[in-house]
């Protein structure tokens, strides 16, 4: 049986995770957050003090890594890891490495009905032929406010203007990079997530009902 693939792309803190969780629960699909894989690599590079500007050192380290955990955790959600993940994600060798894990994840889970995968290049590069592609749109100020609240709630010290600056910087890095930049994927539906989650869900349900 053909597996259903739903892709969710969008900028940092646009609510992709919450939307992916909603869809995966409603449709009993497996959820893969590709950002976790970039964050996990960033954490390894940080702990092992790998010079992330040196392609040679990055490639050597990638050769040693056999497995990356798909598990979310507080230690990969810090601002330091967010920024570092975005920096290492510019390298094609890192992207190919992460994509391999994503393809394995989808291919090995044969019993699953399908997958919801979120990230920056999922509908444009990784799963171009997905059954449904969503692009989440939220203005930077609202994203920064939501991220600020999230960090404060989780006990991290946080300053709103700094969060906004970091979000804008990550947007720039993600949109302007040479390999797999963040774009609105061809054939995707733009979901406005500036307002209440209820309104976002309404837009999504209309699309889900048409699959
Ligand atoms: O989605 P999240 O904020 O967890 O992703 C962390 C960083 O990983 C992003 O800022 C982006 O640079 C990178 N990323 C990416 N492609 C993806 C997922 C994440 O480049 N598919």
């Amino acid at each position: 049986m053909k597996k259903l693939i739903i892709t969710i792309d969008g900028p940092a803190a646009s609510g992709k995770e919450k939307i992916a969780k909603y869809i995966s629960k409603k449709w009993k699909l497996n959820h893969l957050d590709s950002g976790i894989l970039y964050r996990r690599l960033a954490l390894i590079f940080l702990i092992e003090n790998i010079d992330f500007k040196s392609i040679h050192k990055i490639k050597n380290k990638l050769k040693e890594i056999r497995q990356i955990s798909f598990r979310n955790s507080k230690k990969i959600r810090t601002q330091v890891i967010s920024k570092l993940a975005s920096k290492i994600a510019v390298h094609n060798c890192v992207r190919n490495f992460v994509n391999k894990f994503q393809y394995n994840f989808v291919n090995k889970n044969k019993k699953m009905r399908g997958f919801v995968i979120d990230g920056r290049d999922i509908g444009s590069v990784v799963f171009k032929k997905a059954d449904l592609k969503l692009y989440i749109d939220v203005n930077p100020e609202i994203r920064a406010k939501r991220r600020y609240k999230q960090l404060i709630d989780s006990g991290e010290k946080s300053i709103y203007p700094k969060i906004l600056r970091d979000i804008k910087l990550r947007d720039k890095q993600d949109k302007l990079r040479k390999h797999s930049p963040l774009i609105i994927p061809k054939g995707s539906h733009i979901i406005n997530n500036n307002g209440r989650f209820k309104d976002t869900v309404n837009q999504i349900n209309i699309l889900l009902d048409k699959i």
Side-chain angles (χ1 to χ4, degrees), residues 54-84:
S54 157
I55 285 283
H56 181 67
K57 289 187 178 140
I58 288 178
K59 281 187 177 164
N60 279 345
K61 184 67 217 169
L62 293 178
K63 274 188 211 150
E64 288 172 16
I65 303 173
R66 297 277 161 268
Q67 192 54 264
I68 338 177
S69 165
F70 287 71
R71 208 170 40 81
N72 205 352
S73 93
K74 218 172 145 183
K75 61 175 188 273
I76 59 165
R77 291 285 153 199
T78 63
Q79 284 296 93
V80 172
I81 294 295
S82 298
K83 278 204 249 178
L84 187 53

Side-chain angles (χ1 to χ4, degrees), residues 1-3 110 112-113:
M1 198 175 80
K2 189 184 168 290
K3 285 175 207 145
K110 296 225 181 321
M112 286 307 293
R113 209 179 139 215

Side-chain angles (χ1 to χ4, degrees), residues 38-114:
Y38 288 94
R39 285 172 183 270
R40 287 270 165 206
L41 283 183
L43 183 65
I44 294 172
F45 287 10
L46 184 72
I47 290 171
E48 299 193 18
N49 211 5
I50 311 279
D51 178 4
F52 58 85
K53 286 187 191 123
S54 157
I55 285 283
H56 181 67
K57 289 187 178 140
I58 288 178
K59 281 187 177 164
N60 279 345
K61 184 67 217 169
L62 293 178
K63 274 188 211 150
E64 288 172 16
I65 303 173
R66 297 277 161 268
Q67 192 54 264
I68 338 177
S69 165
F70 287 71
R71 208 170 40 81
N72 205 352
S73 93
K74 218 172 145 183
K75 61 175 188 273
I76 59 165
R77 291 285 153 199
T78 63
Q79 284 296 93
V80 172
I81 294 295
S82 298
K83 278 204 249 178
L84 187 53
S86 191
K87 278 186 186 148
I88 62 166
V90 301
H91 299 300
N92 212 21
C93 58
V94 171
R95 308 203 67 83
N96 289 337
F97 185 82
V98 165
N99 292 352
K100 215 170 59 195
F101 279 96
Q102 297 192 62
Y103 294 132
N104 285 345
F105 181 82
V106 166
N107 291 328
K108 80 168 192 255
N109 286 294
K110 296 225 181 321
K111 285 190 188 134
M112 286 307 293
R113 209 179 139 215

Side-chain angles (χ1 to χ4, degrees), residues 26-42:
K26 183 168 177 173
W27 280 61
K28 299 194 172 43
L29 305 174
N30 220 336
H31 171 213
L32 169 57
D33 173 352
S34 62
I36 287 182
L37 303 177
Y38 288 94
R39 285 172 183 270
R40 287 270 165 206
L41 283 183

Side-chain angles (χ1 to χ4, degrees), residues 31 68 132 134 170 178 186 190 202:
H31 171 213
I68 338 177
L132 177 67
L134 306 177
R170 272 216 283 160
K178 184 171 160 211
K186 213 169 142 190
I190 299 176
N202 286 341

